[in-house]
Amino acid sequence: MKAGNSVLTSYGTTIFEVMSRLAAEHGAVNLGQGFPEGLEPPALLAAAARAVAEGPHQYPSMMGIPALRRAVADHARRFYGLEIDPMREVMVTSGATEALADCLFGLIEPGDEVVLIEPLYDSYLPIVRRAGGVPKLVRLEPPNWELPRDALAAAFGPRTKLLVMNTPMNPTGKVFGVDELDFIADLLVRHDAYAVCDEVYEHLIYDGKRHVPLIARPRMRERALRIGSAGKTFSLTSWKIGYVTAAPELLLPVAKAHQYITFTTPTSLQQAVAEGLGSGDGYYRGLADGLAARRDRLAAGLRGIGFDVLPCAGSYFLIADIRSVGFNGDDAEFCRRLTVEAGVAAVPVSAFYKDEGVRHFARFCFAKKDEAIDEAIRRMAKHFKPGRA
Ligand code: PMP
Ligand code: GLN
């Protein structure tokens, strides 16, 4: 039999699926895969139910229903002061995952170089490679995950087509500073390159910090493509509603990818998300405050067990040093054993690296109900400190 595509078949099953399956098999509390619990806004559920009952049920415009495109543009003005033309500069996709693929397939020409920042989200590299891009990887180093400016500048060259970046960042919890964004902007201008900006965690940002999209920085309006996700903003990860915002000439090739991959996204869910984006400030503040409290609850519990926990300014994730509880093996083995033996699932941070990366961190998702967090801590305390639990 002839083989499937060599790039895609070279990858295993995604770590999120692997850990969730293992968690289910062993009845573990799942702090692995990044999805929230108990935060679904009732108004959006009602809006979606209404939209399903009332229709329409046929293909909407491939760019998304006008109400959602307008809502995305209004949201960009309200939070970031951006003036976006909803009909020419917004496209609705089936999740940020599709939006990322559309951007990469739509922009990359085989042989183009693509700058990526490790640790990185798992879909970036396979899609860049499948699109024919040549990855140029730059690493952030723990514990501060600062942008290595010299290495980043060295990764850019005459063949650089684009950079993929993610802020707030999974799995590090880093929020890029304005000075870092402006440094990136300079490189993009100097090398005539674009930035695909994965901003799915834009509203999951804590301690009074504010999200700054690269597209809102000087000279970036024509170079940055901004990706958001209702999965994260409304705690509805199964809905798979994403949106891309970019200047019309940039969005055009991206829309070509979308039209041949999914073409459209369910109308009823688009209608509900359009309503959701117009939620009052209380909704957005409540989301961030509630998640910050969950972060603090999990961090305190992990520290109580003896874990060194890195700071987290945004996203759903805390990173803990597995050496601090006396584990000297690698992170994948740690997470497997934690799931099977302690009954708590986490994700190894090495899964976010192309090659041999950092191997002593586990990522814990804190977007879970208090009861789940407390139960996970109780189980881990029993596992790591059996005499004291
Ligand atoms: N980018 C990052 C950094 C993510 O963590 C995720 C998953 N939550 C996605 C993209 C995918 O988002 P979606 O579920 O909207 O496809
Ligand atoms: N983004 C989520 C995470 O990092 C998971 C999404 C997925 O399972 N593909 O855990």
Side-chain angles (χ1 to χ4, degrees):
M1 274 220 319
K2 288 177 181 163
N5 176 262
S6 61
V7 171
L8 296 178
T9 55
S10 73
Y11 293 94
T13 302
T14 148
I15 190 69
F16 310 118
E17 177 80 14
V18 168
M19 294 315 301
S20 281
R21 278 189 211 161
L22 196 67
E25 209 177 295
H26 293 273
V29 180
N30 191 355
L31 305 187
Q33 192 173 27
F35 62 87
E37 276 179 5
L39 297 174
E40 301 84 353
L44 264 77
L45 305 185
R50 216 169 40 240
V52 167
E54 290 172 8
H57 294 291
Q58 308 313 327
Y59 297 126
S61 159
M62 64 170 259
M63 298 305 282
I65 64 168
L68 180 52
R69 285 189 271 163
R70 279 195 299 272
V72 169
D74 291 346
H75 168 277
R77 183 184 310 107
R78 170 177 166 195
F79 286 98
Y80 311 120
L82 290 164
E83 288 304 324
I84 304 292
D85 178 343
M87 293 305 119
R88 298 170 68 227
E89 298 186 307
V90 178
M91 183 176 81
V92 177
T93 59
S94 291
T97 310
E98 195 229 330
L100 281 157
D102 293 344
C103 290
L104 299 172
F105 284 131
L107 295 173
I108 294 171
E109 190 65 16
D112 283 348
E113 291 180 358
V114 175
V115 180
L116 299 146
I117 301 174
E118 286 184 311
L120 41 62
Y121 187 60
D122 75 337
S123 76
Y124 300 169
L125 203 50
I127 301 292
V128 164
R129 293 184 55 216
R130 187 65 187 91
V134 179
K136 295 282 164 187
L137 291 155
V138 175
R139 272 191 192 185
L140 306 185
E141 295 295 337
N144 297 325
W145 310 108
E146 271 160 29
L147 197 65
R149 297 185 185 209
D150 292 345
L152 188 69
F156 276 77
R159 296 165 69 103
T160 306
K161 181 62 147 297
L162 59 92
L163 161 94
V164 183
M165 64 171 293
N166 173 216
T167 184
M169 189 180 186
N170 177 8
T172 62
K174 174 191 170 77
V175 171
F176 281 67
V178 166
D179 55 328
E180 291 178 320
L181 296 179
D182 289 348
F183 182 81
I184 289 171
D186 268 344
L187 288 173
L188 296 173
V189 171
R190 191 140 25 103
H191 294 279
D192 186 21
Y194 304 115
V196 174
C197 303
D198 179 345
E199 302 181 10
V200 299
Y201 298 104
E202 62 187 310
H203 289 292
L204 313 191
I205 185 162
Y206 314 120
D207 310 323
K209 280 209 162 73
R210 276 174 49 84
H211 174 64
V212 180
L214 184 69
I215 196 173
R217 300 303 301 159
R219 301 171 298 167
M220 288 298 101
R221 189 67 175 75
E222 311 299 318
R223 294 196 179 273
L225 303 101
R226 178 177 127 71
I227 296 172
S229 169
K232 302 296 139 59
T233 297
F234 300 109
S235 309
L236 296 160
T237 59
S238 83
W239 283 24
K240 300 299 285 185
I241 302 282
Y243 13 86
V244 192
T245 304
E249 314 71 51
L250 263 188
L251 194 58
L252 211 63
V254 174
K256 292 286 160 55
H258 169 73
Q259 80 177 355
Y260 296 126
I261 294 177
T262 57
F263 180 54
T264 62
T265 296
T267 305
S268 50
L269 301 181
Q270 292 194 53
Q271 282 172 342
V273 171
E275 287 186 33
L277 283 171
S279 299
D281 292 344
Y283 169 73
Y284 291 98
R285 213 174 313 117
L287 177 68
D289 289 350
L291 283 167
R294 292 179 181 202
R295 173 199 62 178
D296 294 344
R297 191 180 193 97
L298 180 61
L302 289 170
R303 290 194 176 111
I305 292 164
F307 280 105
D308 284 342
V309 179
L310 302 191
C312 161
S315 83
Y316 283 151
F317 308 110
L318 280 173
I319 286 185
D321 191 329
I322 61 178
R323 299 171 305 190
S324 51
V325 290
F327 191 86
N328 293 316
D330 80 5
D331 58 348
E333 178 60 9
F334 177 87
C335 291
R336 200 192 62 76
R337 284 176 55 179
L338 192 72
T339 309
V340 173
E341 295 170 15
V344 178
V347 163
V349 169
S350 59
F352 295 79
Y353 289 83
K354 173 173 174 286
D355 300 313
E356 218 30 36
V358 177
R359 304 197 76 91
H360 58 275
F361 287 132
R363 190 198 77 173
F364 291 90
C365 174
F366 55 75
K368 309 295 176 177
K369 290 182 179 162
D370 285 354
E371 305 87 270
I373 292 175
D374 293 348
E375 175 61 15
I377 294 299
R378 202 186 57 72
R379 291 183 184 194
M380 284 191 281
K382 191 163 158 218
H383 182 76
F384 291 110
K385 297 171 122 187
R388 292 218 265 136

